[in-house]
Amino acid sequence: MSVPEILSALADENRRRILMKLRESKINSGDLAGALNMTPQALSYHLSKLKKQI
């Protein structure tokens, strides 16, 4: 994993919001999507992008 790849993943505001929410507490994906006002499909997309960079 390179620095540019990590920065690219974090460049998206939605992904940063996901990470900040996950730092607060454990939360299931349905509740996370609701808390961030995202569809489950959108959340899944962004989580997969983050997972590729970890």
Side-chain angles (χ1 to χ4, degrees):
M1 138 177 63
S2 70
V3 173
E5 291 171 328
I6 294 169
L7 293 176
S8 175
L10 295 176
D12 187 277
E13 180 182 352
N14 289 315
R15 293 183 204 134
R16 291 191 308 271
R17 289 175 52 219
I18 291 168
L19 292 174
M20 295 302 291
K21 193 67 174 172
L22 290 172
R23 283 184 64 192
E24 293 174 10
S25 65
K26 289 185 178 183
I27 186 170
N28 67 45
S29 61
D31 291 340
L32 181 58
L36 297 174
N37 199 28
M38 298 175 77
T39 65
Q41 296 84 358
L43 177 65
S44 178
Y45 170 79
H46 289 293
L47 287 174
S48 71
K49 292 289 187 178
L50 287 168
K51 186 177 178 181
K52 288 180 184 179
Q53 300 309 319
I54 295 175

